[in-house]
Amino acid sequence: MSARRNLSVVLSLLILLHVYIGARLMPDMGLGFLGIAAGIVLLVLSTVLVPVGLLSSSLRRRRWSEQLAWVGLLAMGLFSSLIVITFLRDIVLLALLAVGQGNAGFTHWSAVGVPSLALAVTLIGFVNARRLARVKRVDVPIANLPEELHGYSIAQISDIHVGPTIRRPYLNAIVNRVNALKADAIAVTGDLVDGSVQRLALHTQPLARLSAPDGAFFVTGNHEYYSGAEEWIAEVRRLGLTVLLNQHVVRQRGAATVLIAGVPDFTAHHFVPSHRSSPRAAAAGAPCEVDVKILLAHQPRTAPAAADAGFDLQLSGHTHGGQFFPWNLFVPLQQPFVAGLHRVRDLWVYTSRGTGYWGPPKRFGAPSEITLVRLVPA
């Protein structure tokens, strides 16, 4: 009953928002009868398709289901920009009215411009999302770094979200680029999938080709817990990656040692009580003489606990860098960092913008990345 009530609330809100868009734009666009009729049909179609996009990862596999998911997610991305730009236009019109600068010409052309701008942002965002993530190189200064670890590198990929629109060829291209970096280790920092092992095992198969001298490591993100985390942990292990659940490994370079630890997602205990994230537990039992301690943690908000546990560097994802405006403005309400390298006491935290995308195939102002993190002397 609760799920049905939530769905009713979402559908009611969607209808109201589409009515708002139509009421605020169509009268000012100077459309004739046929134009208004076409506009109403498009808004009704969007109202129907946006929920399809929201539920795309759970669509039953039937004829046209993949195509329907694509259309629903594209509609979802277009609607997001349309409602935001319509709202911003109204703020501008109110400001002009308040200072006595109302102008019929501006009112008309701004109404025409809103859907045009929303469509342009969606198309640009689509191209940005679907192109192969570029390599971002990040140097992290570590105090008293032994010479043997100068330039030690980890290739990080995060938030790929294999699912309705991200399939095997997309992941295959990512794996090719990561392997070409010849990093010392590879880190997959969560939100790999949106869907069950049964649905997506074929599409995650390229992960088996990830190769680095010190290994390829995986930690869970929140979306693994929406998709059957324990089944995915078993599948990722089958593919040859080392899954770190409050665990660590120690790797050696000459006389120098680096510890690579990992924790489950910050919210994992709500789904699997035994998966409570604990950086201190992840470091437990480590040799006292370890030179550098690195933690893989899906969400940046693990950072204070990682700093308390004595880690030097935390690699995270989760935020997608906001993915597209205006969602980047809301990330700081939940996370301490949106993207990039930051400091929490003695801990460096690097937050990836993600290598794939969630939901609409759309990135605007937050490019995807494959990150090559290098340790350098402070």
Side-chain angles (χ1 to χ4, degrees):
M1 184 61 73
S2 177
R4 189 175 297 178
R5 188 183 296 115
N6 289 340
L7 184 60
S8 297
V9 170
V10 170
L11 288 174
S12 300
L13 183 60
L14 278 172
I15 291 169
L16 287 172
L17 291 174
H18 280 86
V19 169
Y20 164 72
I21 291 169
R24 294 303 303 146
L25 297 183
M26 287 198 293
D28 293 337
M29 292 172 77
L31 302 173
F33 174 78
L34 289 178
I36 290 175
I40 291 172
V41 169
L42 290 172
L43 287 170
V44 169
L45 192 60
S46 175
T47 306
V48 172
L49 287 173
V50 169
V52 173
L54 287 167
L55 300 171
S56 57
S57 61
S58 59
L59 284 176
R60 291 183 180 178
R61 284 187 290 181
R62 291 177 176 171
R63 191 179 181 187
W64 306 111
S65 61
E66 188 173 336
Q67 290 82 353
L68 188 60
W70 266 101
V71 173
L73 287 165
L74 286 168
M76 186 176 160
L78 178 59
F79 166 73
S80 179
S81 289
L82 194 56
I83 188 66
V84 169
I85 300 171
T86 301
F87 181 68
L88 291 176
R89 171 183 178 264
D90 275 353
I91 292 175
V92 172
L93 289 176
L94 282 172
L96 290 174
L97 192 63
V99 297
Q101 296 295 320
N103 182 287
F106 176 79
T107 300
H108 167 71
W109 287 111
S110 63
V112 173
V114 166
S116 303
L117 182 57
L119 184 61
V121 168
T122 302
L123 289 173
I124 294 168
F126 175 80
V127 173
N128 288 340
R130 292 300 299 176
R131 72 184 178 192
L132 179 59
R134 292 171 180 167
V135 175
K136 182 170 184 179
R137 299 172 189 273
V138 178
D139 287 351
V140 179
I142 302 293
N144 304 314
L145 184 70
E147 189 174 347
E148 295 94 331
L149 293 177
H150 289 192
Y152 187 92
S153 60
I154 299 177
Q156 180 195 9
I157 53 178
S158 191
D159 302 274
I160 299 171
H161 290 280
V162 175
T165 62
I166 293 181
R167 313 296 261 185
R168 183 180 181 126
Y170 191 103
L171 183 57
N172 204 49
I174 290 170
V175 169
N176 288 342
R177 181 158 288 183
V178 169
N179 283 342
L181 294 174
K182 305 293 185 186
D184 293 291
I186 296 169
V188 184
T189 51
D191 279 8
L192 171 65
V193 293
D194 276 312
S196 67
V197 172
Q198 183 182 2
R199 281 172 177 251
L200 299 175
L202 171 69
H203 300 287
T204 55
Q205 196 65 36
L207 289 177
R209 295 193 299 103
L210 286 174
S211 177
D214 285 351
F217 304 94
F218 173 80
V219 293
T220 54
N222 51 306
H223 281 252
E224 273 70 61
Y225 291 92
Y226 309 152
S227 306
E230 290 172 311
E231 292 83 359
W232 272 114
I233 288 167
E235 177 63 12
V236 170
R237 282 177 174 150
R238 187 188 70 79
L239 292 171
L241 281 73
T242 300
V243 181
L244 297 172
L245 297 171
N246 293 327
Q247 297 165 307
H248 69 264
V249 299
V250 177
R251 297 292 186 255
Q252 199 149 353
R253 286 288 181 277
T257 51
V258 57
L259 177 144
I260 301 174
V263 292
D265 180 65
F266 190 86
T267 62
H269 60 283
H270 295 303
F271 302 89
V272 182
S274 63
H275 284 196
R276 181 176 290 276
S277 178
S278 173
R280 196 172 294 278
C288 297
E289 66 276 9
V290 168
D291 294 295
V292 181
K293 293 181 179 179
I294 300 169
L295 180 70
L296 313 182
H298 178 62
Q299 299 196 37
R301 57 180 168 168
T302 299
D308 290 342
F311 283 93
D312 301 294
L313 169 65
Q314 174 180 308
L315 300 181
S316 296
H318 184 67
T319 67
H320 298 213
Q323 194 162 317
F324 57 90
F325 179 85
W327 310 117
N328 57 312
L329 303 179
F330 294 99
V331 173
L333 299 178
Q334 190 201 40
Q335 301 293 333
F337 312 116
V338 177
L341 189 64
H342 295 86
R343 192 84 162 164
V344 176
R345 302 196 296 275
D346 294 330
L347 172 76
W348 287 107
V349 182
Y350 184 78
T351 306
S352 166
R353 289 185 173 89
T355 314
Y357 54 85
W358 178 82
K362 183 176 181 179
R363 275 187 173 273
F364 196 85
S368 57
E369 64 181 76
I370 294 167
T371 318
L372 185 67
V373 176
R374 290 193 327 136
L375 305 184
V376 297

